[in-house]
Amino acid sequence: MYSKIVILNFPQEVAQKALVCQLTKKYDLLFNILSARISNKKEGYMVLEISSGTKAAFNKGVKFLKDQGVSVSGPEHQIYKDEEICTHCGACTAVCQTEALYIKRPEMEVMFDKERCSVCELCVVTCPARAMGLFSAEAQEVVA
Ligand code: SF4
Ligand code: SF4
């Protein structure tokens, strides 16, 4: 299974169209909406995890979105968890909407699944130990 997180920006003209649903109907792709909002200018923003049987099918679906005027990009930054600093207090799991941070039981350890992370950065500002940080995917360096 090929799976990737993408960031979609919908211009006002197409923000109300159900384009994402077409990914399933036309290209047999599965998607999971990690985050979505509409600005006061009626432009849309969505973080989507798209899964497909092949990379070729994924690329066709992305081409479809781009042909409709949707901007498609990958996350510019990634989140990292410093295991040496983390005290497993659990505070970050309360703010993580995608369950990328979760408590493993019965060990009661806080785990980080970066594949589920939407890079909302809520955990970065929540962590009292500053174990969560922001990493530039392009420059391969810590930025916060
Ligand atoms: S809030 Fe920070 S210290 Fe607490 S479990 Fe999460 S990453 Fe670890
Ligand atoms: S940035 Fe932190 S809070 Fe947001 S989805 Fe990723 S792990 Fe969860």
Side-chain angles (χ1 to χ4, degrees):
M1 177 72 76
Y2 183 80
S3 176
K4 197 167 177 182
I5 291 178
V6 293
I7 298 169
L8 309 180
N9 282 287
F10 299 81
Q12 188 181 7
E13 311 81 73
V14 298
Q16 301 296 330
K17 293 186 182 173
L19 294 177
V20 168
C21 296
Q22 301 292 323
L23 294 176
T24 304
K25 283 186 189 163
K26 288 185 183 228
Y27 302 99
D28 212 18
L29 302 180
L30 301 174
F31 64 86
N32 182 20
I33 298 174
L34 302 177
S35 173
R37 62 173 182 266
I38 291 201
S39 74
N40 48 17
K41 289 184 182 170
K42 308 278 186 218
E43 292 165 344
Y45 166 88
M46 193 179 276
V47 180
L48 213 60
E49 180 181 17
I50 302 178
S51 306
S52 68
T54 65
K55 189 175 179 183
F58 169 86
N59 287 341
K60 280 184 188 169
V62 168
K63 182 176 183 309
F64 162 75
L65 291 174
K66 287 182 175 175
D67 288 347
Q68 306 301 313
V70 180
S71 155
V72 184
S73 60
E76 189 181 325
H77 294 106
Q78 294 171 0
I79 295 291
Y80 69 88
K81 178 169 178 279
D82 190 330
E83 298 297 343
E84 307 234 323
I85 298 176
C86 175
T87 60
H88 299 276
C89 70
C92 55
T93 62
V95 297
C96 183
Q97 309 265 319
T98 65
E99 297 181 2
L101 287 158
Y102 62 97
I103 298 174
K104 182 180 170 194
R105 296 172 200 275
E107 297 88 342
M108 301 305 283
E109 286 176 11
V110 173
M111 310 298 290
F112 175 46
D113 179 356
K114 75 172 187 182
E115 300 298 322
R116 298 192 62 81
C117 176
S118 65
V119 199
C120 70
E121 300 180 34
L122 286 175
C123 57
V124 177
V125 293
T126 300
C127 176
R130 298 183 63 89
M132 302 304 296
L134 200 58
F135 185 85
S136 167
E138 197 180 330
Q140 296 284 297
E141 64 184 17
V142 174
V143 292

